[in-house]
Amino acid sequence: MQVDERLDAFRTFIEANGNSPNVCAMYFKRVRTFLGKHSEAMTADEQVLREIVDEYIESLPVTSGIGVTATAVRYYWTMRFGKPYFRRFDPRSYPVNQSIERECLEFEVQLMSSGRLSPVTVRQRATKVKQYLYTMFGSAEFERGMVNLASAMVYISEKIAHTSASTKRGFCTEIRAYASFLCANGHEDTAGPITKVALKGPEPMDSLPKCINEEDFEALTTSVDPESARGKRDLAMLLLMGNLGLRRSDVALLALDDVDWANGILRIRHSKSVSDRSIPLDSETGSSLEDYVVNARPMGTGSRSLFLPDGLEAKGPRMTFEQVGGAIGLLSEKAGVRDSGTHPLRRAVATNMVNNGVPIKPIADILGHETLATTMGYLRVNVESLRKAAAPWPKEVAI
């Protein structure tokens, strides 16, 4: 197959996967450059092409466009071999292990009975533990004594080595919670060291929380195609996160009945937070929501979920958390905004409020934080505000 034929096949592939024309153009250009430099990628087998792709990404200069290029060449690999570049955990890949299933169910019941976690957080925590147990112990008859510090370290250093630092840190939180559960059930000798050792994933280079700046947020909003159904949906989701500070899970779980159109109020239920909350809708976000619901949301689906999958996204009664994050990720690539994600949008909302003089308690209520300590971890305080706070005491007052 010639280069032009391979590029034509790639263009057809990315278009069929629901990418916008602008994103397709960016991916196409970068894969054309990649194949121009690595003609061997035309015929390389699966493992060899993976090595070529990894080395190519590693050699790229660190710029805001590196994420787009990396995604494009990995897309090319996916087109060639018909499977995701990064293998995600899928329980269906393993024979059902009833001993592990029972263990995860008991752990989930215990988390729920504590009353301190939302149902969403409980499910996420139990799922992460199930992933660990299936990956490490597979079809073996599971016994709680198998879980020890060594197995946790192997899982982090080998089994999820390819994942992000935040994923590793998240697992450390989940395994400590599970180890505490085991200790409470008589297995402190094997699980106890996990709770006592400072087991944590890699820390980010920047100790301050990431916040998206105003210029990048504007780039995200202007990258949306406001005339397409998907564009209207993605803009509404983006504004909910960037103007109101919603989590991606909050957005995914919204229902049509959660919007009080007459009074301009949005109710957040089934959240990661234990308590429900209500947030006033600003005019920009409210208008975008109305535009999506009236002009773009699919009719006749029978679903009461506010946001529905579009194009080739996996169909369901509502969008998944991952689909919401993926939609924002595509906008970031299109806009050339590196490492945006959804949480920097939420942190920016908190930081903008504190920089404008809003007290911490109302900020915590809007974000749905149960403790003020959680809110404090979100904030990047305006340096100019700090300078004013540290200014010398006026002489006329001191006299």
Side-chain angles (χ1 to χ4, degrees):
M1 181 179 287
Q2 300 299 314
V3 173
D4 289 344
E5 293 176 335
R6 185 74 79 185
L7 286 171
D8 286 342
F10 179 69
R11 187 194 298 276
T12 300
F13 176 76
I14 55 179
E15 288 175 350
N17 275 274
N19 295 292
S20 70
N22 285 340
V23 171
C24 287
M26 288 192 296
Y27 287 169
F28 182 85
K29 178 180 178 181
R30 284 159 173 78
V31 168
R32 182 176 60 194
T33 301
F34 169 68
L35 293 179
K37 294 180 178 180
H38 294 278
S39 58
E40 67 274 22
M42 293 275 293
T43 56
D45 63 26
E46 181 177 327
Q47 185 56 41
V48 172
L49 182 55
R50 179 180 285 274
E51 293 172 0
I52 294 171
V53 166
D54 287 342
E55 290 174 3
Y56 182 72
I57 294 172
E58 186 68 26
S59 70
L60 294 171
V62 179
T63 66
S64 61
I66 188 174
V68 178
T69 304
T71 300
V73 294
R74 287 170 181 150
Y75 242 139
Y76 173 76
W77 186 95
T78 296
M79 180 201 72
R80 284 280 315 276
F81 303 108
K83 54 187 176 182
Y85 192 82
F86 292 120
R87 182 185 176 190
R88 298 183 183 275
F89 172 72
D90 184 352
R92 293 171 298 182
S93 302
Y94 298 85
V96 175
N97 186 328
Q98 293 297 340
S99 59
I100 290 179
E101 294 294 329
R102 288 193 299 270
E103 177 70 1
C104 293
L105 179 59
E106 187 172 341
F107 178 52
E108 186 171 344
V109 169
Q110 187 274 332
L111 291 176
M112 189 66 73
S113 66
S114 71
R116 295 183 292 105
L117 301 173
S118 73
V120 171
T121 301
V122 168
R123 286 194 297 271
Q124 290 175 337
R125 183 159 290 181
T127 298
K128 292 297 184 184
V129 169
K130 180 183 290 189
Q131 177 177 340
Y132 158 72
L133 295 179
Y134 265 103
T135 302
M136 294 304 299
F137 309 117
S139 59
E141 182 66 22
F142 174 72
E143 296 179 0
R144 288 174 172 172
M146 296 176 174
V147 178
N148 53 37
L149 183 59
S151 69
M153 295 298 293
V154 168
Y155 185 75
I156 295 170
S157 62
E158 298 180 11
K159 304 302 183 181
I160 58 172
H162 66 281
T163 61
S164 67
S166 62
T167 297
K168 295 183 180 72
R169 290 195 301 274
F171 169 72
C172 292
T173 299
E174 318 304 356
I175 192 63
R176 277 197 298 270
Y178 178 55
S180 297
F181 162 77
L182 293 178
C183 290
N185 284 276
H187 291 274
E188 189 168 359
D189 55 337
T190 49
I194 298 176
T195 65
K196 296 173 183 176
V197 173
L199 185 64
K200 58 183 181 179
E203 293 294 333
M205 296 296 291
D206 183 358
S207 59
L208 290 174
K210 289 183 179 179
C211 284
I212 189 168
N213 58 44
E214 292 181 5
E215 292 78 12
D216 283 347
F217 184 60
E218 183 178 358
L220 286 177
T221 58
T222 56
S223 70
V224 176
D225 177 6
E227 301 303 319
S228 69
R230 177 162 184 156
K232 293 179 188 295
R233 182 202 70 179
D234 291 353
L235 180 60
M237 295 194 303
L238 176 63
L239 294 179
L240 285 169
M241 289 182 272
N243 285 348
L244 302 183
L246 268 64
R247 304 177 179 93
R248 67 174 185 173
S249 57
D250 295 336
V251 172
L253 294 170
L254 283 174
L256 290 169
D257 303 321
D258 292 330
V259 185
D260 182 348
W261 300 101
N263 297 303
I265 299 294
L266 184 69
R267 187 182 180 196
I268 312 299
R269 302 178 298 148
H270 313 301
S271 174
K272 180 179 179 181
S273 311
V274 175
S275 306
D276 295 346
R277 65 191 191 279
S278 296
I279 303 176
L281 277 170
D282 63 283
S283 58
E284 182 186 26
T285 306
S287 297
S288 182
L289 271 176
E290 181 181 10
D291 187 29
Y292 168 65
V293 172
V294 174
N295 300 313
R297 185 179 180 277
M299 303 289 288
T301 63
S303 173
R304 297 297 296 171
S305 295
L306 180 55
F307 294 108
L308 301 177
D310 178 81
L312 294 178
E313 292 172 338
K315 298 300 184 288
R318 63 166 176 81
M319 292 188 71
T320 65
F321 304 170
E322 290 75 18
Q323 286 172 337
V324 174
I328 301 304
L330 286 176
L331 292 181
S332 299
E333 293 175 6
K334 182 178 177 181
V337 176
R338 187 181 183 191
D339 295 333
S340 174
T342 58
H343 242 57
L345 296 167
R346 180 170 160 83
R347 292 191 182 104
V349 171
T351 298
N352 289 338
M353 284 193 286
V354 79
N355 287 338
N356 282 284
V358 180
I360 298 298
K361 181 60 170 69
I363 296 174
D365 292 341
I366 290 172
L367 295 180
H369 289 158
E370 299 296 326
T371 67
L372 298 184
T374 303
T375 308
M376 293 301 296
Y378 270 59
L379 305 179
R380 275 184 183 268
V381 179
N382 185 288
V383 175
E384 186 59 33
S385 298
L386 288 177
R387 287 198 185 101
K388 291 178 181 178
W393 193 261
K395 291 182 179 180
E396 58 271 21
V397 176
I399 293 174

